[in-house]
Amino acid sequence: MPEIDVIVIGGGLAGLTSAIHLSKEGVRVLLIEKNDYPKHKVCGEYVSNEVLPYLNYLGFNPFDFGAKHISEFELTTHNNKSISAKLPLGGFGMSRYEMDFQLYQLALKNNVEVLCDTVTNVSIKNDMFRIATKSNKDIQAKLVLGAFGKRSNLDAKFQRKFMTKKSPYLGVKIHVSGQFSEEKVALHNFKGGYCGMSKVENGNINLCYITNYEAFKKYKDIETFQEEVLFKNMALKEVFKNSKPKFEKPLAISQISFETKKPVENHMIMCGDSAGMIHPLCGNGMGMAIRSSQLASQLIIDYLKEKIKTREELEKAYTIHWKKAFNFRLKAGHTIAYLFRQDWLAPKLLVFLRWFSFLVPQIIKMTHGKPMKV
């Protein structure tokens, strides 16, 4: 391996955008990702337009690859009450299969070295990081950026506190073909969870829902759970019943955690879901991942240019900037999700929001940011 400034662990949105940003500024970057591209992931696949200025700066325009413009929002409850609103900034729909792949191609064009491998250990000695991988590679770098997602073997390795707490949520995703407005993102509540719905670049509808595992395990399989629980919401039933699945079987992930995480862990700068995860109800995890990568990249560049003098100053600055950018969003997201998880309360909240509809865009703004500056 040539001499490396920064190793990025994880090739999702945060890892890829960080690697591209750093490389554009002349930083020598190695991106380590355990999976090949392209690959489907359990994800809502709706992205707030707040990230577009930054993506354009990186050289990526999602609409060149068929992303769908989204401007409308719909919310329904388990007892079939609904409300609609305009999205303050709007957003776009694009699958992780396509978006991650195109960003990967852009990373290669920007001279990012990419290694398909699994990191097994990260250590630091004499102010240099040392990375061990499953294929027995031993790599050194000045800095490590952790962008390895919601839950990883490295989280367990470093005994991160959130790993000791219960993670009772299950996520399920499928793409289907059928009728659904291209301009709309919908959030359909059911007992024990909710399902996000929007179109992506190939005209398919992304259906992604999250539920409490305790509620799910009462049923023998995903199909039975959907029939007995999801389809009590008629909007959900209509789309599921009148569409054709594009996957052989749904994708599922378990042990999703919304516990607090540290933005810096074992001297690694953490990005995206590795640093903290907003509740999917708020639909802005992808936007947060991209914004956190910009924060990390800018500070890393300043450190490598010696504008930030010490590693301690870098870690402190990133922690402060990360908390300023995301703490309020995360708290708002947890509160909103908690309220809508109360089956008796959600319909009452919807009636209230119908009376005071001007509040809906304000609530959305609480979990989103302003357009990113570049």
Side-chain angles (χ1 to χ4, degrees), residues 36 95 101 118 217 231 255 262 310 318 323 342-343:
D36 291 326
S95 73
F101 178 66
T118 299
K217 72 178 185 180
F231 296 170
Q255 295 185 304
K262 291 181 181 178
T310 67
Y318 181 67
K323 288 181 177 179
Q342 313 308 309
D343 293 333

Side-chain angles (χ1 to χ4, degrees), residues 100-365:
D100 287 14
F101 178 66
Q102 295 301 339
L103 286 169
Y104 162 66
Q105 296 291 335
L106 184 59
L108 295 178
K109 287 179 186 175
N110 280 277
N111 302 313
V112 175
E113 188 82 20
V114 181
L115 173 65
C116 186
D117 205 343
T118 299
V119 174
T120 55
N121 193 34
V122 181
S123 58
I124 186 167
K125 188 177 181 180
N126 298 327
D127 211 34
M128 285 290 286
F129 279 98
R130 197 160 190 164
I131 304 292
T133 74
K134 194 174 182 179
S135 63
N136 296 317
K137 285 188 170 57
D138 186 355
I139 313 163
Q140 293 190 73
K142 296 173 186 175
L143 293 166
V144 171
L145 195 153
F148 36 79
K150 301 173 182 67
R151 199 176 191 90
S152 163
N153 64 307
L154 291 177
D155 292 316
K157 182 85 177 175
F158 292 118
Q159 299 179 332
R160 299 184 77 189
K161 283 188 178 179
F162 81 91
M163 294 288 284
T164 64
K165 299 180 180 178
K166 274 191 172 184
S167 305
Y169 296 101
L170 172 78
V172 179
K173 165 188 154 174
I174 190 168
H175 281 183
V176 300
S177 61
Q179 295 298 312
F180 189 79
S181 170
E182 288 189 357
E183 293 81 31
K184 183 168 70 175
V185 59
L187 199 62
H188 299 304
N189 199 266
F190 56 86
K191 286 192 175 183
Y194 40 83
C195 179
M197 196 179 289
S198 58
K199 278 205 167 178
V200 293
E201 72 285 339
N202 50 19
N204 288 336
I205 309 165
N206 179 44
L207 305 175
C208 188
Y209 63 84
I210 188 167
T211 184
N212 189 302
Y213 186 72
E214 288 298 315
F216 175 79
K217 72 178 185 180
K218 297 174 186 175
Y219 303 89
K220 63 179 181 178
D221 52 35
I222 286 174
E223 289 73 21
T224 307
F225 176 73
Q226 290 176 176
E227 287 281 351
E228 298 293 328
V229 181
L230 267 70
F231 296 170
K232 295 290 191 294
N233 183 313
M234 298 311 293
L236 275 175
K237 184 176 181 179
E238 182 180 352
V239 173
F240 271 87
K241 291 291 189 181
N242 295 299
S243 60
K244 292 183 179 179
K246 306 300 286 188
F247 297 170
E248 285 187 18
K249 59 181 182 179
L251 302 179
I253 56 170
S254 60
Q255 295 185 304
I256 301 171
S257 173
F258 304 112
E259 295 293 335
T260 303
K261 301 177 183 178
K262 291 181 181 178
V264 177
E265 192 78 59
N266 293 282
H267 301 290
M268 288 188 293
I269 304 295
M270 310 303 277
C271 264
D273 289 344
S274 295
M277 185 175 168
I278 195 165
H279 215 284
L281 175 75
C282 305
N284 202 31
M286 293 169 75
M288 273 184 59
I290 293 167
R291 189 178 285 267
S292 70
S293 76
Q294 183 198 41
L295 285 177
S297 299
Q298 288 173 334
L299 291 169
I300 286 170
I301 290 163
D302 285 347
Y303 174 74
L304 293 173
K305 290 182 176 179
E306 298 185 349
K307 293 179 183 178
I308 296 174
K309 299 298 182 186
T310 67
R311 189 183 298 280
E312 184 182 13
E313 286 178 39
L314 169 65
E315 293 173 7
K316 185 177 180 182
Y318 181 67
T319 300
I320 291 169
H321 280 76
W322 194 94
K323 288 181 177 179
K324 184 178 178 181
F326 302 122
N327 265 12
F328 178 76
R329 289 198 207 191
L330 291 171
K331 287 176 182 175
H334 280 297
T335 302
I336 293 165
Y338 172 79
L339 293 173
F340 275 95
R341 278 202 307 271
Q342 313 308 309
D343 293 333
W344 64 272
L345 182 58
K348 292 180 173 63
L349 285 172
L350 209 69
V351 171
F352 176 81
L353 291 173
R354 276 179 173 173
W355 290 341
F356 302 97
S357 57
F358 67 92
L359 290 175
V360 177
Q362 300 304 315
I363 293 169
I364 294 170
K365 284 180 181 179

Side-chain angles (χ1 to χ4, degrees), residues 45 60 62 65 67 92-96 98-99 200-201 286:
E45 301 184 336
F60 179 72
F65 305 99
F92 61 92
M94 190 172 191
S95 73
R96 293 295 301 276
E98 183 70 15
M99 191 169 180
V200 293
E201 72 285 339
M286 293 169 75

